[in-house]
């Protein structure tokens, strides 16, 4: 109903909901023909940078490195893995040829990227991407210190949406700032 209202009133929309059905995703894409929509699973600009770095590392490191994602959130978080961990995994998978899919557990299988989901305390969110080889280990990590970074990013996304068209991402927004 929010989507229909935004389209009817021609209001740009920011959507941060994960776990949507295929039909809901199609409805968002259809609405984006009428209004700009920033659709992201995480509005932290720090996470957006982490995703970019993870993709770059995946392209650069080759087959010598095993890759694993560890994501930690508060114990009340229901989804596992988080939408952010899935986005990280899918970005990595698009940039390496040897891994076919992600799994939500540790794995030694070379055709799978393991995501380990930890739920403890009241952690706002920690995402680690670990590249490990016989010679060295590279760890990329983002730790949210609270909810503020998500709120600031959502406001930035709303401002960005106002001047654009279609379905937009935080990566699109960050790219417009960097260029």
């Amino acid at each position: 109903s929010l989507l229909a209202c935004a389209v009817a009133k021609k209001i740009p929309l920011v959507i941060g909901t994960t776990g949507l059905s295929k039909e809901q995703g199609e409805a968002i894409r259809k609405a984006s023909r009428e209004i700009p929509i920033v659709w992201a699973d995480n509005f932290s600009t720090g996470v957006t940078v982490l995703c970019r770095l993870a993709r770059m590392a995946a392209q650069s490191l080759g087959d010598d490195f095993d890759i694993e994602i560890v994501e930690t959130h508060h114990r009340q978080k229901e989804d596992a893995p988080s939408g952010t961990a899935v986005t990280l995994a899918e970005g990595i998978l698009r940039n390496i040829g040897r891994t076919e899919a992600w799994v939500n557990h540790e794995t030694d299988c070379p055709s799978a990227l393991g995501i380990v989901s930890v739920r403890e305390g009241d952690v706002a969110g920690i995402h680690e991407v670990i590249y490990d080889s016989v010679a060295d280990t590279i760890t990329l990590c983002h730790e949210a210190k609270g909810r503020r970074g998500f709120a600031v990013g959502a406001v930035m996304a709303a401002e960005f949406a106002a001047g654009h068209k279609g379905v937009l991402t935080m990566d699109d927004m960050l790219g417009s700032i960097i260029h």
Side-chain angles (χ1 to χ4, degrees):
S1 62
L2 177 61
L3 191 60
C5 179
V7 169
K9 296 185 182 229
K10 303 290 186 212
I11 299 171
L13 197 55
V14 173
I15 301 174
T17 306
T18 59
L20 297 174
S21 70
K22 185 176 180 179
E23 293 79 22
Q24 290 168 317
E26 284 303 315
I28 291 169
R29 282 184 273 287
K30 182 179 177 188
S32 75
R33 294 183 211 131
E34 304 291 324
I35 60 171
I37 298 174
V38 178
W39 188 11
D41 54 28
N42 190 311
F43 287 97
S44 163
T45 55
V47 164
T48 304
V49 170
L50 174 67
C51 289
R52 276 188 173 201
L53 293 172
R55 292 189 310 264
M56 289 171 56
Q59 284 178 327
S60 302
L61 296 175
D63 291 343
D64 294 336
F65 284 79
D66 294 325
I67 307 170
E68 179 179 68
I69 297 171
V70 178
E71 55 103 3
T72 306
H73 287 87
H74 54 86
R75 68 172 59 100
Q76 289 78 30
K77 185 163 183 62
E78 293 181 18
D79 62 327
S82 68
T84 301
V86 170
T87 295
L88 279 164
E90 290 175 351
I92 291 167
L93 290 173
R94 281 191 305 274
N95 286 281
I96 57 176
R98 62 183 161 81
T99 305
E100 299 167 6
W102 59 266
V103 293
N104 193 211
H105 54 77
E106 287 186 59
T107 182
D108 290 331
C109 177
S111 64
L113 170 60
I115 302 175
V116 177
S117 298
V118 179
R119 300 293 178 261
E120 63 185 19
D122 56 353
V123 177
I126 302 171
H127 293 87
E128 297 173 275
V129 184
I130 303 155
Y131 301 84
D132 188 53
S133 76
V134 222
D136 48 17
T137 299
I138 300 167
T139 302
L140 301 174
C141 181
H142 175 270
E143 180 174 355
K145 295 181 179 181
R147 309 297 298 163
R148 187 177 197 287
F150 306 118
V152 168
V155 169
M156 290 172 65
E159 292 170 345
F160 175 71
H164 293 82
K165 294 181 179 184
V167 174
L168 308 158
T169 66
M170 288 297 287
D171 204 48
D172 294 329
M173 184 195 76
L174 185 64
S176 77
I177 293 170
I178 293 172
H179 291 46

